[in-house]
Amino acid sequence: MSAFQLDVLQQLNALGKIDSTLATFPKEDPQDILSALSSLNAHGKIEYTRKDSIQYDLSEEGKDILANGSHEMKLVQLIKDFGKLKIKDVNEKLGPKGKVGQARAFKNGWIVKSKENELELSDKLQGGVNPSDETKELLHKIVDKKDSEINAKVLADLKKRKLIVPKKVTDFVIVKGNDFSLDLNKLETDITADMIVSGSYKDLKFKPYNFNSKGLPVQSGALHPLNKVREEFRQIFFSMGFTEMPTSQYVETGFWNFDALYVPQQHPARDLQDTFYIKDPSKSDLPEDRTYIENIKAVHENGKFDSIGYRYDWKEEECKKLVLRTHTTAISAKMLHELSKDPKPTRLFSIDRVFRNEAVDATHLAEFHQVEGVLADYNITLGGLISFMEEFFAKMGVTGLRFKPTYNPYTEPSMEIYSWHEGLGKWVEIGNSGMFRPEMLEPMGLPRDLRVLGWGLSLERPTMIKYKVQNIRELLGHKVSLDFIENNPAARLDEDLYT
Amino acid sequence: MPTISVNKQQLFDQIGKNYTTDEFDELCFQFGIELDEDTTEDALKNNEEPELKIEIGANRYDLLCIEGIAQSLNEYLERAETPKYKLSKPTTKLFIDPSTEQIRPYACAAILRNIKFTKYSYASFIALQDKLHSNICRNRTLVAVGTHDLDSIKGPFYYKALPPRDISFVPLNQTKEFDSAELMEFYKQPEQKNNLGRFVHIIESSPAYPVIKDANDTVCSLPPIINSEHSKISLETKNIFIEITATDKTKAEIVLNQLVAMFSRYCEDQFCVEPVEIVSEHNGQSRITPNFEERTVDTSISYINSALGLEQSPEQIASCLKKLSLHATPSKTNADVLNVKLPITRPDVLHPCDVMEDAAIGYGYDNLPKGTKLSNANFIASALPINKVADIFRIASSQASWLEVMPLTLCSHDENFKFLRLEDDGSQVVKLANPKTLEYQVVRTTLLPGILKTVKENRKHSLPIKVFETGDAVFKNDKLERKSYNERHWGAIYAGRTSGFEIIQGLLGKIMQTFRTEWLADYGANSSGRGYWTEQDDSLATYFPGRGASIFFRTREGEQPKKIGHMGVLHPEVMNNFEIPYAASYVELNAEAFL
């Protein structure tokens, strides 16, 4: 507590009420008074009200008039002394303000102009009559703080004549507060280390807290929402015994991306319209396993492994075209080919980027993430596949699935996975699944009774639903808002995702 | 997947019930097609006939018209049998000239006699040809269909390839005669471009164009572009000559079979087709088309039961398959085998697994037993090692108050090079052949362009802007099967009123400390242990001269140090190139160094 604050409390104690700080503490700066009062008020010592008003000071010219009389009075005195005065001499005798005095003396009817262009006293002032100096009297009233007696028009005229200068005055009325006391003990705002060490907190009074506030924003980093959802999916896969596939390979060969998956070479998915082809490097190698390649050729061209094939001229050159992978299933195919060296039940998954040469809009980007699971086991049934999907999706809070027959070049049977969407009031597709075709698996050398289930969904779609993002470009890519990244909540997939 | 619009009332009349939208949606769901839209509401407003838009499987060419959808659904609902398609005796021939080898070597043909079209069936006949052309025919590149009023032309027919100037005729819907070279120019005019112009490229550069002529040397069609006005069909046409030309014989026969199977139902002798004798001695393709021989797929009963988790009798399986138009009879020689006969409309069946799927659809996916739950017990899951390293980067960076961003991997060539003040020596970057926009020309070799673009888009965000990414860059490598590889990188930027270089240095230190890597102040010859250091590197043109450094890492005592990244104050030109009005410092590391 400052000395001044103590002074205020003491004066208040003595007077009971301070009506005007201007009067009681004329020397204090109003800003200092305000900060002292608001601090005392915060401690409940006082209550105060603020009164702002306008007061006037005299200008230098005003002060001169107050001391020596107005310009018009000076002129009258001069004329009195000399009898008459040539107009051209006014400036010489009275300086530049002489003109002002001359004009006002005429206006007051104190002087007249003779035929010889000389100023003489008017009849009114003949015989030693002394006029009253109105300007000087007005300024007296200003100095005596009696400006309330002057009417507004006259005040404005004085201002216009630059004789007075307005100034804002802040005054305060102070009364005692609920916790009024003279002592210097203030309410503490915070518990400090010193208080704890010294034990002084026991004797101190603490300011009440305002709990109706959010506190200060915390400086923090953040992970991207898409990666947060990705992590949720990874944990679901891990919990079900799935190992992550090495999908760090964006550039893929036509062979792995298409031919190995039994996508015929004239399939529309291989169109320039849908797939990014690579110009440089221009051409890939093929897997070293020539038997595998011959099997792929046979199963496409004339049929093999009980399939009649697509019956067209299969070209090895087409396999060597490099593309940006259109699905991570290219890597799954490679993993399954490796599995053929030692076939056994296997569970694999990946969540990684795939590329489509599509026109960009609110739901399509040239890049997105595919979530893919691959499950190989002996003699799995279609019903087993369905119940496994139910278990998988239940882990992300999605239940009540339905399965719709569909077509996919590399799975048979193929099933689209639907879940009921409360908000939309209809069944929505949430993923795709199926058993890989024998034409894909048997050329690799995998045994016939090892059936392989594959399923996939995009990472973006559930994330957009989770975080209520309407436009995929606001989620993936450089147009994302950093505020959005900073402020998004944890991605708990089991929190009512699709409702 | 193709979407087919069918007249709602026509379809419901044909399948014998006025379904509600929900009921029909459910029927589609069970059968494996999808009701995209029921236009009833809009149609009523516009005084049009309501349509159903139905999405079908890309391999089910028999569902590309209302006739096929109705036939299949009727069989699925057990309201109809598969039609018995039959052939009459050929009355004419189509001679294929060896000259066609150079451009479009295959052809087949058939005749529909005494057909009676209605307004609807005629429109459907035209629409089916369009649907076939845009799907299985791959926009007429593989197969093209021509249909003609047989009464306006006279067999035998001739298929040959002639120099463009030697083929003159009045094309369909035109009044004047063109030679085919002129015709190509005509169709390439901008106002024609979206119609026939888009097919011109298929033959344009060939010295000889395919042409079908009749016995009187009248031009019937210029495949795969246009038919002649002379032989055009109409609602009143009685006898239709269908010719198919192709570069793919299998698909040509599929297309012919679908067309005649769907529309022979409107012939006086229902489901009867008149074949045409194809004479093609030069390539051994002489035969009679169409070929209505039904293929048989022998399918193991135990395979179907095992895949479906069922114990069905052969008869039960057969009744499921019948709903999907497959006709199964138990084999006389093997008790475990069903001989499954495929109608000519189901060329999509390639393998017993396709039969197995139809058995499942016939049984109903909803009705399949769930079976015993697969156990998760025998599988030990593990994360991909590089993803574990990346997660350490990600978590440490976010803990250090950086925000994670995920820009795209593809960028423009300028963004990856020129804007970063770098030259492309052609040794590193993978370039795309067919991007639709300039935004996607190359696969990035550094994370910096995406990070800078993100900063640019967020330049109104409070300063400083601190973002990082852990993602893949891609590099060429001729020794690999795929001629390129991904490399996981980590990059982080500080952008603000000042460059904040010390802050980026501090972040690098934090990351290195997280990876158990000491700062080696007296690096080089004077130290030999695990650690990292930085050396000023003026060859890094992306950074302001004298303010760029390479980062070195020695993994263990005595190892050769590796250069694993770079850092520095970004060059003002780089900031200007990305339109960012701030100073910035950046660090990028190859995350694989920590594997």
Side-chain angles (χ1 to χ4, degrees), chain A residues 444-494:
Chain A
M444 297 172 172
L446 286 169
R448 190 164 274 207
D449 54 351
L450 187 77
R451 295 192 191 126
V452 183
L453 151 65
W455 74 98
L457 57 154
S458 91
L459 178 62
E460 281 73 8
R461 182 119 191 253
T463 310
M464 286 169 78
I465 293 171
K466 184 90 214 160
Y467 290 104
K468 297 192 165 58
V469 177
Q470 303 295 329
N471 188 335
I472 190 170
R473 284 167 288 192
E474 289 164 15
L475 181 65
L476 181 64
H478 56 271
K479 292 198 167 135
V480 66
S481 149
L482 294 182
D483 294 329
F484 168 66
I485 294 175
E486 268 170 335
N487 296 321
N488 68 67
R492 296 165 57 188
L493 287 189
D494 50 355

Side-chain angles (χ1 to χ4, degrees), chain A residues 266 271 311 357 382 412 451, chain B residues 138 250 306-307 357 433 436:
Chain A
Q266 315 82 1
D271 258 0
R311 289 149 290 148
N357 196 6
L382 200 53
E412 189 82 2
R451 295 192 191 126
Chain B
R138 301 303 311 286
T250 308
S306 134
E357 182 187 56
K436 289 199 171 98

Side-chain angles (χ1 to χ4, degrees), chain A residues 222 224 227 244 252 256 266 271 273 275 277 279-280 311 347 357 367 382 402 412 437 451 477, chain B residues 138 250 306-307 354 357 366 375-376 384 387 404 406 409-410 431 433-434 436 458 476 481-482:
Chain A
H224 196 284
N227 269 339
E244 203 165 23
E252 198 42 271
W256 288 111
Q266 315 82 1
D271 258 0
Q273 286 303 310
T275 300
Y277 281 84
K279 180 167 66 183
D280 180 16
R311 289 149 290 148
R347 294 183 177 189
N357 196 6
E367 300 178 27
L382 200 53
R402 289 196 67 195
E412 189 82 2
R437 289 188 74 98
R451 295 192 191 126
Chain B
R138 301 303 311 286
T250 308
S306 134
D354 297 301
E357 182 187 56
D366 285 346
S375 165
N376 299 336
L384 187 67
N387 286 349
E404 182 176 36
M406 293 179 84
T409 314
L410 306 179
K431 298 187 174 88
N434 59 328
K436 289 199 171 98
N458 283 282
K476 282 168 45 169
E481 182 184 328
R482 297 163 178 83

